[in-house]
Amino acid sequence: MATTYFSKRNLQFLLHEVFRAEELTQYEYFSAHDRETFNLALDSATYIADTLMHPYLKEIDKNQPELKNGQVTVHPKIKEYLKAMGDAGLIGAGFSFEHGGQQLPELISSSIGFILMAANNGMMYTGLTSGAAHLITSFGSPALQAAYVPNMLAGTWQGTMALTEPQAGSSLSDVVTTAYPQPDGTFKIKGQKVFISAGDHDATDNIIHLMLARIEGAPKGTKGISLFVVPKYRLDGTDNDVTSTGIYHKMGQHGVPAMHLTMGEHDDCVGYLVGEPHHGLPYMFQMMNEARIGVGMTAAAIATAAYHAALQYARERPQSRRLNEKSQLDSPQTPIINHPDVRRMLLFQKAVTEGALSLLLEAARLYDISQVAEGEEKENAFLLLDLLMPMAKSYPSEMGVQSVSQSVQTFGGYGYTEDFPVEQLYRDIRITPIYEGTTGIQAQDLLGRKMTMKGGKAPQLLFAEISKTIAEAGTFDDLKPYADQLTAELKRTQDVMIALMPHAQQGNIERYLSDATLFLELMGIVVVAWQWLKQAVVAKQALLTQNPQGDELAFYEGKIHTMKFFFHYEVPKTLGLAVRLKDTEVLTIVSEKELAL
């Protein structure tokens, strides 16, 4: 099995050279930290990943959770992992000191998640707990915070996000789980939830569900949804009538149980209201947005692990001779990394994974600024983050699937077997375009809301940021052609919006959004091209000012080479997408005359 599952050098490059993580310490909230404390947290995560996670990648995949007699059992290493994460303070890495956390920036916290998920995404438990606990600290009463958060951050209690119902799916306005008010201020909960990741297991002493439900008599639709803490066990240790009805056996991510839960079978499930009634969905969106960055990071991590496995294999696997030497049968075979098509596949994987990680860290940095800055800086960071969120979730997920597919292809027939990890990673990553809002939902959010909110201010801010990078790149002769190409891509994106906007202005929303997923794909390519040009600028500056040698020289030159690959192989795809988006022929909207399906 591959010994390397992520590049520490690349992560350090992005954190400290591209995004200059230390600059966040100028804000009072992060002032207790410096580069050393950031790296200590990352080193701690790497140690846990190396010792408790990566060695058990296959074992956890092969020993799936089981539901027997109402109890869910998971691999015993998961309990060790949760304890280690709690003891190291990494579950609460991004929490304030007040709530028992390390008060680290999201830029660092999300990097910790990247390392852990690259090691073994079948142990995807702590991110869920962190997100649930953050909801309680953000909107819950002091009593709820004191009762639940410490054990969650210690790794002894699991947290979940319980939204989806059998009849509702992604349509949260159709949630029917009901909360009945009780005289003591609590609520009796009745209903069902499905696909609840880590929704029940024996690796912690309690499971704390952050659950959407509708208070009896509440308005219909999303405005009538409230948020509740619904524990598996009450604080006195008694059962809370949350029944594990079933466990879904999944295509991948076998280490994490996906549960079907039934609340109130015996009319004895107690829930505790978080915040105000009927505000559940806005509250939950905080966790969902964090979870969307997390899903994108998980996808980038899985694809990164697959890339490094494919890279190692390509360096070690001899086959045939180079194309200009095919007739030299007496000469030794060459490693497959020397074949152009294999190099194309590897460069594609590198371009996707490192580009996606850069985009996610851009989003994490904006999240930090949106939380700690003031005035216009805070507002602009929030708007940019809001705009980038659909791309930060979907590009790593959709392109990560393609990247891992190319990892399998690099191995040839061996990649399709269990002898190497990419078979498992291909199964694992496929869920990421579905988690926390499918790609189609993200696309409608981007085109239907984000591109037009506040009079289009968010895309104006984004284009201004991209233009800054273009200007920097334009000062280097060998980067200027790519700067010019990205300028043309911004113009292409604007032309697409000009073509689409009349449909929205005329109220024909179905037509406006009919190809929203293609628009999301186009925007994803553009913003990742921006990230690659940004990396190339930093690499070019390092080459000119640091005179690097050996591995460092190869690293920086490799960055520029991969940027060129992305611009020559991926960016041209926007041309076809733009042609379709501006096409007046409509083929997917149902009409009375055309029922081809």
Side-chain angles (χ1 to χ4, degrees), residues 328-362:
Q328 300 176 19
L329 300 181
D330 292 334
S331 63
Q333 296 190 84
T334 189
I336 64 173
I337 197 170
N338 292 327
H339 297 312
D341 194 57
V342 173
R343 295 183 73 82
R344 178 192 59 79
M345 290 189 288
L346 291 169
L347 280 165
F348 172 76
Q349 294 166 61
K350 180 179 174 66
V352 167
T353 57
E354 295 183 4
L357 178 58
S358 185
L359 173 59
L360 287 157
L361 294 179
E362 180 83 60

PDB file of all heavy atoms in Angstrom, residues 328-362:
ATOM      1  N   GLN A 328      13.366  -1.485 -29.428  1.00  0.00           N
ATOM      2  CA  GLN A 328      14.574  -1.911 -28.709  1.00  0.00           C
ATOM      3  C   GLN A 328      14.210  -2.942 -27.640  1.00  0.00           C
ATOM      4  O   GLN A 328      14.237  -2.686 -26.431  1.00  0.00           O
ATOM      5  CB  GLN A 328      15.277  -0.700 -28.094  1.00  0.00           C
ATOM      6  CG  GLN A 328      15.708   0.337 -29.121  1.00  0.00           C
ATOM      7  CD  GLN A 328      16.316   1.578 -28.495  1.00  0.00           C
ATOM      8  OE1 GLN A 328      16.751   1.559 -27.346  1.00  0.00           O
ATOM      9  NE2 GLN A 328      16.345   2.673 -29.256  1.00  0.00           N
ATOM     10  N   LEU A 329      13.892  -4.165 -28.103  1.00  0.00           N
ATOM     11  CA  LEU A 329      13.350  -5.178 -27.212  1.00  0.00           C
ATOM     12  C   LEU A 329      14.383  -5.721 -26.227  1.00  0.00           C
ATOM     13  O   LEU A 329      14.011  -6.354 -25.227  1.00  0.00           O
ATOM     14  CB  LEU A 329      12.765  -6.323 -28.036  1.00  0.00           C
ATOM     15  CG  LEU A 329      11.618  -5.921 -28.991  1.00  0.00           C
ATOM     16  CD1 LEU A 329      11.107  -7.133 -29.739  1.00  0.00           C
ATOM     17  CD2 LEU A 329      10.501  -5.228 -28.230  1.00  0.00           C
ATOM     18  N   ASP A 330      15.655  -5.509 -26.499  1.00  0.00           N
ATOM     19  CA  ASP A 330      16.689  -5.985 -25.574  1.00  0.00           C
ATOM     20  C   ASP A 330      16.925  -5.011 -24.414  1.00  0.00           C
ATOM     21  O   ASP A 330      17.592  -5.352 -23.440  1.00  0.00           O
ATOM     22  CB  ASP A 330      18.013  -6.198 -26.317  1.00  0.00           C
ATOM     23  CG  ASP A 330      17.937  -7.361 -27.298  1.00  0.00           C
ATOM     24  OD1 ASP A 330      17.108  -8.267 -27.057  1.00  0.00           O
ATOM     25  OD2 ASP A 330      18.683  -7.351 -28.294  1.00  0.00           O
ATOM     26  N   SER A 331      16.392  -3.801 -24.538  1.00  0.00           N
ATOM     27  CA  SER A 331      16.578  -2.811 -23.471  1.00  0.00           C
ATOM     28  C   SER A 331      15.561  -3.060 -22.352  1.00  0.00           C
ATOM     29  O   SER A 331      14.486  -3.632 -22.582  1.00  0.00           O
ATOM     30  CB  SER A 331      16.400  -1.398 -24.031  1.00  0.00           C
ATOM     31  OG  SER A 331      15.087  -1.224 -24.510  1.00  0.00           O
ATOM     32  N   PRO A 332      15.876  -2.651 -21.122  1.00  0.00           N
ATOM     33  CA  PRO A 332      14.939  -2.866 -20.007  1.00  0.00           C
ATOM     34  C   PRO A 332      13.666  -2.040 -20.192  1.00  0.00           C
ATOM     35  O   PRO A 332      13.668  -1.000 -20.853  1.00  0.00           O
ATOM     36  CB  PRO A 332      15.731  -2.410 -18.783  1.00  0.00           C
ATOM     37  CG  PRO A 332      16.759  -1.461 -19.319  1.00  0.00           C
ATOM     38  CD  PRO A 332      17.108  -1.977 -20.683  1.00  0.00           C
ATOM     39  N   GLN A 333      12.577  -2.530 -19.599  1.00  0.00           N
ATOM     40  CA  GLN A 333      11.325  -1.773 -19.633  1.00  0.00           C
ATOM     41  C   GLN A 333      11.478  -0.498 -18.800  1.00  0.00           C
ATOM     42  O   GLN A 333      12.293  -0.433 -17.879  1.00  0.00           O
ATOM     43  CB  GLN A 333      10.170  -2.614 -19.086  1.00  0.00           C
ATOM     44  CG  GLN A 333       9.867  -3.846 -19.924  1.00  0.00           C
ATOM     45  CD  GLN A 333       8.590  -4.519 -19.494  1.00  0.00           C
ATOM     46  OE1 GLN A 333       7.504  -4.124 -19.913  1.00  0.00           O
ATOM     47  NE2 GLN A 333       8.718  -5.542 -18.657  1.00  0.00           N
ATOM     48  N   THR A 334      10.684   0.495 -19.129  1.00  0.00           N
ATOM     49  CA  THR A 334      10.763   1.775 -18.439  1.00  0.00           C
ATOM     50  C   THR A 334       9.592   1.918 -17.466  1.00  0.00           C
ATOM     51  O   THR A 334       8.500   1.386 -17.709  1.00  0.00           O
ATOM     52  CB  THR A 334      10.735   2.935 -19.463  1.00  0.00           C
ATOM     53  OG1 THR A 334      11.020   4.156 -18.783  1.00  0.00           O
ATOM     54  CG2 THR A 334       9.386   3.050 -20.148  1.00  0.00           C
ATOM     55  N   PRO A 335       9.773   2.611 -16.353  1.00  0.00           N
ATOM     56  CA  PRO A 335       8.637   2.878 -15.461  1.00  0.00           C
ATOM     57  C   PRO A 335       7.528   3.601 -16.227  1.00  0.00           C
ATOM     58  O   PRO A 335       7.809   4.459 -17.074  1.00  0.00           O
ATOM     59  CB  PRO A 335       9.241   3.764 -14.369  1.00  0.00           C
ATOM     60  CG  PRO A 335      10.690   3.429 -14.374  1.00  0.00           C
ATOM     61  CD  PRO A 335      11.034   3.157 -15.816  1.00  0.00           C
ATOM     62  N   ILE A 336       6.297   3.264 -15.918  1.00  0.00           N
ATOM     63  CA  ILE A 336       5.186   3.813 -16.705  1.00  0.00           C
ATOM     64  C   ILE A 336       5.046   5.323 -16.562  1.00  0.00           C
ATOM     65  O   ILE A 336       4.385   5.961 -17.383  1.00  0.00           O
ATOM     66  CB  ILE A 336       3.851   3.120 -16.368  1.00  0.00           C
ATOM     67  CG1 ILE A 336       3.444   3.370 -14.907  1.00  0.00           C
ATOM     68  CG2 ILE A 336       3.917   1.629 -16.691  1.00  0.00           C
ATOM     69  CD1 ILE A 336       2.046   2.850 -14.575  1.00  0.00           C
ATOM     70  N   ILE A 337       5.678   5.914 -15.557  1.00  0.00           N
ATOM     71  CA  ILE A 337       5.612   7.365 -15.417  1.00  0.00           C
ATOM     72  C   ILE A 337       6.277   8.069 -16.594  1.00  0.00           C
ATOM     73  O   ILE A 337       6.041   9.253 -16.848  1.00  0.00           O
ATOM     74  CB  ILE A 337       6.256   7.816 -14.089  1.00  0.00           C
ATOM     75  CG1 ILE A 337       5.818   9.252 -13.747  1.00  0.00           C
ATOM     76  CG2 ILE A 337       7.774   7.684 -14.139  1.00  0.00           C
ATOM     77  CD1 ILE A 337       6.196   9.694 -12.352  1.00  0.00           C
ATOM     78  N   ASN A 338       7.079   7.337 -17.368  1.00  0.00           N
ATOM     79  CA  ASN A 338       7.745   7.933 -18.533  1.00  0.00           C
ATOM     80  C   ASN A 338       6.877   7.925 -19.785  1.00  0.00           C
ATOM     81  O   ASN A 338       7.280   8.470 -20.812  1.00  0.00           O
ATOM     82  CB  ASN A 338       9.059   7.195 -18.818  1.00  0.00           C
ATOM     83  CG  ASN A 338      10.083   7.424 -17.720  1.00  0.00           C
ATOM     84  OD1 ASN A 338      10.126   8.496 -17.111  1.00  0.00           O
ATOM     85  ND2 ASN A 338      10.910   6.409 -17.450  1.00  0.00           N
ATOM     86  N   HIS A 339       5.685   7.317 -19.729  1.00  0.00           N
ATOM     87  CA  HIS A 339       4.794   7.307 -20.882  1.00  0.00           C
ATOM     88  C   HIS A 339       3.924   8.567 -20.868  1.00  0.00           C
ATOM     89  O   HIS A 339       3.339   8.901 -19.824  1.00  0.00           O
ATOM     90  CB  HIS A 339       3.909   6.059 -20.873  1.00  0.00           C
ATOM     91  CG  HIS A 339       4.676   4.780 -20.974  1.00  0.00           C
ATOM     92  ND1 HIS A 339       5.661   4.573 -21.916  1.00  0.00           N
ATOM     93  CD2 HIS A 339       4.607   3.625 -20.252  1.00  0.00           C
ATOM     94  CE1 HIS A 339       6.163   3.361 -21.784  1.00  0.00           C
ATOM     95  NE2 HIS A 339       5.543   2.760 -20.766  1.00  0.00           N
ATOM     96  N   PRO A 340       3.813   9.281 -21.982  1.00  0.00           N
ATOM     97  CA  PRO A 340       3.069  10.552 -22.003  1.00  0.00           C
ATOM     98  C   PRO A 340       1.640  10.451 -21.489  1.00  0.00           C
ATOM     99  O   PRO A 340       1.172  11.350 -20.774  1.00  0.00           O
ATOM    100  CB  PRO A 340       3.110  10.957 -23.484  1.00  0.00           C
ATOM    101  CG  PRO A 340       4.343  10.319 -24.011  1.00  0.00           C
ATOM    102  CD  PRO A 340       4.469   9.015 -23.274  1.00  0.00           C
ATOM    103  N   ASP A 341       0.926   9.372 -21.835  1.00  0.00           N
ATOM    104  CA  ASP A 341      -0.469   9.300 -21.401  1.00  0.00           C
ATOM    105  C   ASP A 341      -0.582   9.091 -19.896  1.00  0.00           C
ATOM    106  O   ASP A 341      -1.514   9.597 -19.262  1.00  0.00           O
ATOM    107  CB  ASP A 341      -1.204   8.175 -22.138  1.00  0.00           C
ATOM    108  CG  ASP A 341      -2.704   8.293 -21.971  1.00  0.00           C
ATOM    109  OD1 ASP A 341      -3.260   9.360 -22.322  1.00  0.00           O
ATOM    110  OD2 ASP A 341      -3.337   7.331 -21.470  1.00  0.00           O
ATOM    111  N   VAL A 342       0.360   8.356 -19.331  1.00  0.00           N
ATOM    112  CA  VAL A 342       0.362   8.191 -17.877  1.00  0.00           C
ATOM    113  C   VAL A 342       0.694   9.524 -17.208  1.00  0.00           C
ATOM    114  O   VAL A 342       0.073   9.903 -16.197  1.00  0.00           O
ATOM    115  CB  VAL A 342       1.359   7.100 -17.450  1.00  0.00           C
ATOM    116  CG1 VAL A 342       1.493   7.053 -15.927  1.00  0.00           C
ATOM    117  CG2 VAL A 342       0.931   5.736 -17.990  1.00  0.00           C
ATOM    118  N   ARG A 343       1.635  10.258 -17.769  1.00  0.00           N
ATOM    119  CA  ARG A 343       1.959  11.577 -17.216  1.00  0.00           C
ATOM    120  C   ARG A 343       0.759  12.514 -17.315  1.00  0.00           C
ATOM    121  O   ARG A 343       0.513  13.316 -16.408  1.00  0.00           O
ATOM    122  CB  ARG A 343       3.174  12.178 -17.939  1.00  0.00           C
ATOM    123  CG  ARG A 343       4.455  11.385 -17.718  1.00  0.00           C
ATOM    124  CD  ARG A 343       5.652  12.047 -18.381  1.00  0.00           C
ATOM    125  NE  ARG A 343       6.068  13.235 -17.654  1.00  0.00           N
ATOM    126  CZ  ARG A 343       6.849  13.220 -16.569  1.00  0.00           C
ATOM    127  NH1 ARG A 343       7.268  12.078 -16.067  1.00  0.00           N
ATOM    128  NH2 ARG A 343       7.208  14.345 -15.990  1.00  0.00           N
ATOM    129  N   ARG A 344       0.013  12.399 -18.408  1.00  0.00           N
ATOM    130  CA  ARG A 344      -1.204  13.210 -18.543  1.00  0.00           C
ATOM    131  C   ARG A 344      -2.181  12.891 -17.416  1.00  0.00           C
ATOM    132  O   ARG A 344      -2.751  13.801 -16.795  1.00  0.00           O
ATOM    133  CB  ARG A 344      -1.862  12.952 -19.895  1.00  0.00           C
ATOM    134  CG  ARG A 344      -3.176  13.716 -20.099  1.00  0.00           C
ATOM    135  CD  ARG A 344      -3.928  13.214 -21.314  1.00  0.00           C
ATOM    136  NE  ARG A 344      -4.249  11.795 -21.209  1.00  0.00           N
ATOM    137  CZ  ARG A 344      -5.270  11.311 -20.489  1.00  0.00           C
ATOM    138  NH1 ARG A 344      -6.046  12.124 -19.809  1.00  0.00           N
ATOM    139  NH2 ARG A 344      -5.480  10.016 -20.447  1.00  0.00           N
ATOM    140  N   MET A 345      -2.377  11.604 -17.140  1.00  0.00           N
ATOM    141  CA  MET A 345      -3.297  11.224 -16.072  1.00  0.00           C
ATOM    142  C   MET A 345      -2.811  11.711 -14.719  1.00  0.00           C
ATOM    143  O   MET A 345      -3.600  12.201 -13.891  1.00  0.00           O
ATOM    144  CB  MET A 345      -3.490   9.707 -16.058  1.00  0.00           C
ATOM    145  CG  MET A 345      -4.267   9.179 -17.252  1.00  0.00           C
ATOM    146  SD  MET A 345      -4.717   7.426 -17.103  1.00  0.00           S
ATOM    147  CE  MET A 345      -3.119   6.630 -17.319  1.00  0.00           C
ATOM    148  N   LEU A 346      -1.518  11.599 -14.464  1.00  0.00           N
ATOM    149  CA  LEU A 346      -0.976  12.046 -13.188  1.00  0.00           C
ATOM    150  C   LEU A 346      -1.046  13.564 -13.046  1.00  0.00           C
ATOM    151  O   LEU A 346      -1.376  14.089 -11.968  1.00  0.00           O
ATOM    152  CB  LEU A 346       0.472  11.576 -13.047  1.00  0.00           C
ATOM    153  CG  LEU A 346       0.660  10.062 -12.870  1.00  0.00           C
ATOM    154  CD1 LEU A 346       2.125   9.689 -13.006  1.00  0.00           C
ATOM    155  CD2 LEU A 346       0.117   9.595 -11.529  1.00  0.00           C
ATOM    156  N   LEU A 347      -0.749  14.283 -14.124  1.00  0.00           N
ATOM    157  CA  LEU A 347      -0.844  15.742 -14.076  1.00  0.00           C
ATOM    158  C   LEU A 347      -2.283  16.199 -13.874  1.00  0.00           C
ATOM    159  O   LEU A 347      -2.537  17.183 -13.170  1.00  0.00           O
ATOM    160  CB  LEU A 347      -0.257  16.349 -15.360  1.00  0.00           C
ATOM    161  CG  LEU A 347       1.264  16.458 -15.391  1.00  0.00           C
ATOM    162  CD1 LEU A 347       1.763  16.709 -16.809  1.00  0.00           C
ATOM    163  CD2 LEU A 347       1.750  17.561 -14.441  1.00  0.00           C
ATOM    164  N   PHE A 348      -3.211  15.479 -14.475  1.00  0.00           N
ATOM    165  CA  PHE A 348      -4.628  15.794 -14.245  1.00  0.00           C
ATOM    166  C   PHE A 348      -4.966  15.642 -12.766  1.00  0.00           C
ATOM    167  O   PHE A 348      -5.620  16.509 -12.162  1.00  0.00           O
ATOM    168  CB  PHE A 348      -5.507  14.878 -15.096  1.00  0.00           C
ATOM    169  CG  PHE A 348      -6.974  14.990 -14.784  1.00  0.00           C
ATOM    170  CD1 PHE A 348      -7.720  16.069 -15.231  1.00  0.00           C
ATOM    171  CD2 PHE A 348      -7.621  14.018 -14.024  1.00  0.00           C
ATOM    172  CE1 PHE A 348      -9.071  16.188 -14.936  1.00  0.00           C
ATOM    173  CE2 PHE A 348      -8.967  14.118 -13.731  1.00  0.00           C
ATOM    174  CZ  PHE A 348      -9.692  15.210 -14.188  1.00  0.00           C
ATOM    175  N   GLN A 349      -4.519  14.544 -12.166  1.00  0.00           N
ATOM    176  CA  GLN A 349      -4.797  14.316 -10.744  1.00  0.00           C
ATOM    177  C   GLN A 349      -4.155  15.396  -9.878  1.00  0.00           C
ATOM    178  O   GLN A 349      -4.785  15.917  -8.947  1.00  0.00           O
ATOM    179  CB  GLN A 349      -4.298  12.933 -10.342  1.00  0.00           C
ATOM    180  CG  GLN A 349      -5.036  11.783 -10.994  1.00  0.00           C
ATOM    181  CD  GLN A 349      -4.297  10.470 -10.819  1.00  0.00           C
ATOM    182  OE1 GLN A 349      -4.072  10.019  -9.703  1.00  0.00           O
ATOM    183  NE2 GLN A 349      -3.908   9.850 -11.923  1.00  0.00           N
ATOM    184  N   LYS A 350      -2.919  15.716 -10.162  1.00  0.00           N
ATOM    185  CA  LYS A 350      -2.227  16.753  -9.394  1.00  0.00           C
ATOM    186  C   LYS A 350      -2.926  18.103  -9.550  1.00  0.00           C
ATOM    187  O   LYS A 350      -3.119  18.842  -8.576  1.00  0.00           O
ATOM    188  CB  LYS A 350      -0.772  16.854  -9.857  1.00  0.00           C
ATOM    189  CG  LYS A 350       0.071  17.901  -9.135  1.00  0.00           C
ATOM    190  CD  LYS A 350       1.500  17.895  -9.673  1.00  0.00           C
ATOM    191  CE  LYS A 350       2.345  19.026  -9.093  1.00  0.00           C
ATOM    192  NZ  LYS A 350       2.587  18.885  -7.648  1.00  0.00           N
ATOM    193  N   ALA A 351      -3.319  18.416 -10.786  1.00  0.00           N
ATOM    194  CA  ALA A 351      -3.974  19.698 -11.047  1.00  0.00           C
ATOM    195  C   ALA A 351      -5.302  19.810 -10.310  1.00  0.00           C
ATOM    196  O   ALA A 351      -5.630  20.856  -9.741  1.00  0.00           O
ATOM    197  CB  ALA A 351      -4.178  19.883 -12.552  1.00  0.00           C
ATOM    198  N   VAL A 352      -6.061  18.735 -10.316  1.00  0.00           N
ATOM    199  CA  VAL A 352      -7.368  18.744  -9.650  1.00  0.00           C
ATOM    200  C   VAL A 352      -7.211  18.795  -8.138  1.00  0.00           C
ATOM    201  O   VAL A 352      -7.841  19.609  -7.460  1.00  0.00           O
ATOM    202  CB  VAL A 352      -8.192  17.508 -10.069  1.00  0.00           C
ATOM    203  CG1 VAL A 352      -9.399  17.329  -9.145  1.00  0.00           C
ATOM    204  CG2 VAL A 352      -8.653  17.647 -11.511  1.00  0.00           C
ATOM    205  N   THR A 353      -6.361  17.919  -7.590  1.00  0.00           N
ATOM    206  CA  THR A 353      -6.291  17.820  -6.135  1.00  0.00           C
ATOM    207  C   THR A 353      -5.649  19.053  -5.505  1.00  0.00           C
ATOM    208  O   THR A 353      -6.170  19.592  -4.511  1.00  0.00           O
ATOM    209  CB  THR A 353      -5.517  16.553  -5.722  1.00  0.00           C
ATOM    210  OG1 THR A 353      -4.209  16.567  -6.307  1.00  0.00           O
ATOM    211  CG2 THR A 353      -6.242  15.303  -6.178  1.00  0.00           C
ATOM    212  N   GLU A 354      -4.556  19.521  -6.063  1.00  0.00           N
ATOM    213  CA  GLU A 354      -3.891  20.676  -5.476  1.00  0.00           C
ATOM    214  C   GLU A 354      -4.653  21.968  -5.784  1.00  0.00           C
ATOM    215  O   GLU A 354      -4.636  22.906  -4.979  1.00  0.00           O
ATOM    216  CB  GLU A 354      -2.446  20.746  -5.952  1.00  0.00           C
ATOM    217  CG  GLU A 354      -1.619  19.565  -5.447  1.00  0.00           C
ATOM    218  CD  GLU A 354      -0.155  19.632  -5.840  1.00  0.00           C
ATOM    219  OE1 GLU A 354       0.273  20.645  -6.446  1.00  0.00           O
ATOM    220  OE2 GLU A 354       0.577  18.673  -5.545  1.00  0.00           O
ATOM    221  N   GLY A 355      -5.332  22.017  -6.918  1.00  0.00           N
ATOM    222  CA  GLY A 355      -6.177  23.170  -7.219  1.00  0.00           C
ATOM    223  C   GLY A 355      -7.382  23.224  -6.310  1.00  0.00           C
ATOM    224  O   GLY A 355      -7.772  24.286  -5.809  1.00  0.00           O
ATOM    225  N   ALA A 356      -8.008  22.061  -6.066  1.00  0.00           N
ATOM    226  CA  ALA A 356      -9.168  21.997  -5.183  1.00  0.00           C
ATOM    227  C   ALA A 356      -8.791  22.366  -3.758  1.00  0.00           C
ATOM    228  O   ALA A 356      -9.517  23.112  -3.078  1.00  0.00           O
ATOM    229  CB  ALA A 356      -9.780  20.598  -5.226  1.00  0.00           C
ATOM    230  N   LEU A 357      -7.664  21.859  -3.284  1.00  0.00           N
ATOM    231  CA  LEU A 357      -7.228  22.192  -1.922  1.00  0.00           C
ATOM    232  C   LEU A 357      -6.981  23.687  -1.784  1.00  0.00           C
ATOM    233  O   LEU A 357      -7.356  24.301  -0.773  1.00  0.00           O
ATOM    234  CB  LEU A 357      -5.961  21.405  -1.585  1.00  0.00           C
ATOM    235  CG  LEU A 357      -5.346  21.676  -0.208  1.00  0.00           C
ATOM    236  CD1 LEU A 357      -6.343  21.385   0.908  1.00  0.00           C
ATOM    237  CD2 LEU A 357      -4.067  20.861  -0.015  1.00  0.00           C
ATOM    238  N   SER A 358      -6.394  24.289  -2.784  1.00  0.00           N
ATOM    239  CA  SER A 358      -6.154  25.727  -2.747  1.00  0.00           C
ATOM    240  C   SER A 358      -7.465  26.501  -2.671  1.00  0.00           C
ATOM    241  O   SER A 358      -7.607  27.458  -1.892  1.00  0.00           O
ATOM    242  CB  SER A 358      -5.356  26.156  -3.986  1.00  0.00           C
ATOM    243  OG  SER A 358      -4.999  27.514  -3.925  1.00  0.00           O
ATOM    244  N   LEU A 359      -8.453  26.098  -3.455  1.00  0.00           N
ATOM    245  CA  LEU A 359      -9.762  26.752  -3.417  1.00  0.00           C
ATOM    246  C   LEU A 359     -10.394  26.616  -2.034  1.00  0.00           C
ATOM    247  O   LEU A 359     -10.975  27.574  -1.497  1.00  0.00           O
ATOM    248  CB  LEU A 359     -10.679  26.146  -4.481  1.00  0.00           C
ATOM    249  CG  LEU A 359     -12.137  26.600  -4.469  1.00  0.00           C
ATOM    250  CD1 LEU A 359     -12.257  28.107  -4.660  1.00  0.00           C
ATOM    251  CD2 LEU A 359     -12.939  25.862  -5.547  1.00  0.00           C
ATOM    252  N   LEU A 360     -10.294  25.440  -1.432  1.00  0.00           N
ATOM    253  CA  LEU A 360     -10.880  25.219  -0.111  1.00  0.00           C
ATOM    254  C   LEU A 360     -10.184  26.045   0.960  1.00  0.00           C
ATOM    255  O   LEU A 360     -10.839  26.574   1.871  1.00  0.00           O
ATOM    256  CB  LEU A 360     -10.810  23.730   0.224  1.00  0.00           C
ATOM    257  CG  LEU A 360     -11.804  22.867  -0.568  1.00  0.00           C
ATOM    258  CD1 LEU A 360     -11.335  21.422  -0.623  1.00  0.00           C
ATOM    259  CD2 LEU A 360     -13.193  22.961   0.051  1.00  0.00           C
ATOM    260  N   LEU A 361      -8.882  26.186   0.862  1.00  0.00           N
ATOM    261  CA  LEU A 361      -8.172  27.009   1.829  1.00  0.00           C
ATOM    262  C   LEU A 361      -8.468  28.488   1.617  1.00  0.00           C
ATOM    263  O   LEU A 361      -8.498  29.263   2.582  1.00  0.00           O
ATOM    264  CB  LEU A 361      -6.667  26.741   1.748  1.00  0.00           C
ATOM    265  CG  LEU A 361      -6.245  25.322   2.179  1.00  0.00           C
ATOM    266  CD1 LEU A 361      -4.737  25.145   2.030  1.00  0.00           C
ATOM    267  CD2 LEU A 361      -6.679  25.015   3.611  1.00  0.00           C
ATOM    268  N   GLU A 362      -8.713  28.878   0.383  1.00  0.00           N
ATOM    269  CA  GLU A 362      -9.177  30.247   0.107  1.00  0.00           C
ATOM    270  C   GLU A 362     -10.495  30.498   0.838  1.00  0.00           C
ATOM    271  O   GLU A 362     -10.691  31.532   1.494  1.00  0.00           O
ATOM    272  CB  GLU A 362      -9.366  30.447  -1.389  1.00  0.00           C
ATOM    273  CG  GLU A 362      -9.836  31.822  -1.802  1.00  0.00           C
ATOM    274  CD  GLU A 362      -8.699  32.826  -1.899  1.00  0.00           C
ATOM    275  OE1 GLU A 362      -7.778  32.598  -2.702  1.00  0.00           O
ATOM    276  OE2 GLU A 362      -8.755  33.850  -1.185  1.00  0.00           O
TER     277      GLU A 362
END
